[in-house]
């Protein structure tokens, strides 16, 4: 596919108490699950975004540093959009192990020149499993220079400007967007 991809791994894992990326889920660390998924999509390049380069990052995956001060995933997305060589950037959070290759392929099928795609569950966007066009970089830079660092706000603006197509998530698809924030989540999942 003619896209770039970024694995967003810059969170502080405060609720988890340790680095989420290294948590074992179904016998593999989350970082490995997510990178294998992105590789199967065959993007032009894969980035890992974070505050510092993780020790688990494979040598063939480029590191993109969150521009300080880090504003969470917004910083990683802006830095990745700036460095990518493709026209679109697939973003995937490290802590969403239920997202599937089939669903990400479905999202990839929805993009068009200058327009990406974001899923929406009821009134909430799912901006950490979305595809952004290069044209979204201006929106991210504008948001980073302000005081509202909400991904919901940025996704809403991008959708209103026609830079993101919004696809509703069905009740069966909701489980794909479950994420792991606390150790108790692993027991439930």
């Amino acid at each position: 596919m003619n896209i770039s991809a970024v694995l967003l791994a810059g969170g502080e894992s405060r609720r988890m108490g340790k680095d989420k990326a290294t948590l074992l889920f179904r016998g593999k660390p989350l970082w490995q699950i997510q990178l294998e998924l992105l590789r199967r999509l065959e993007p032009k390049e894969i980035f890992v975004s974070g505050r510092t380069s993780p020790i688990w990052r494979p040598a063939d995956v480029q590191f993109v540093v969150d521009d300080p001060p880090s504003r969470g995933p917004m910083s990683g997305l802006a830095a990745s959009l700036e460095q990518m060589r493709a026209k679109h950037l697939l973003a995937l959070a490290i802590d969403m192990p239920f997202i599937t290759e089939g669903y990400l392929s479905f999202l990839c099928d929805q993009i068009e020149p200058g327009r990406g795609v974001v899923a929406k569950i009821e009134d909430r966007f799912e901006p950490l499993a979305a595809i952004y066009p290069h044209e979204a970089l201006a929106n991210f830079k504008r948001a980073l220079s302000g005081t509202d660092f909400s991904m919901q706000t940025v996704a809403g603006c991008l959708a209103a400007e026609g830079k993101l197509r919004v696809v509703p998530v069905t009740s069966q698809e909701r489980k794909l967007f479950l994420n792991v924030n606390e150790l108790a989540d692993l027991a439930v999942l």
Side-chain angles (χ1 to χ4, degrees), residues 32-85:
Q32 185 178 358
I33 292 167
Q34 300 302 68
L35 278 180
E36 287 173 357
L37 173 58
L38 291 176
R39 282 191 167 113
R40 287 193 302 272
L41 295 170
E42 299 180 357
K44 184 176 277 199
E45 61 200 344
I46 299 176
F47 302 112
V48 168
S49 165
R51 298 165 200 264
T52 59
S53 182
I55 58 171
W56 50 260
R57 180 182 58 85
D60 65 329
V61 173
Q62 300 174 56
F63 173 66
V64 176
V65 67
D66 291 358
D67 290 331
S70 178
R71 303 297 184 198
M74 190 179 297
S75 295
L77 286 166
S80 299
L81 283 163
E82 206 155 37
Q83 289 191 29
M84 73 177 190
R85 293 181 290 137

Side-chain angles (χ1 to χ4, degrees), residues 114-134:
R115 191 177 199 190
V117 62
V118 63
K120 192 173 187 182
I121 299 175
E122 294 177 6
D123 64 342
R124 301 231 2 119
F125 295 106
E126 291 295 334
L128 304 186
I131 303 173
Y132 297 92
H134 186 265

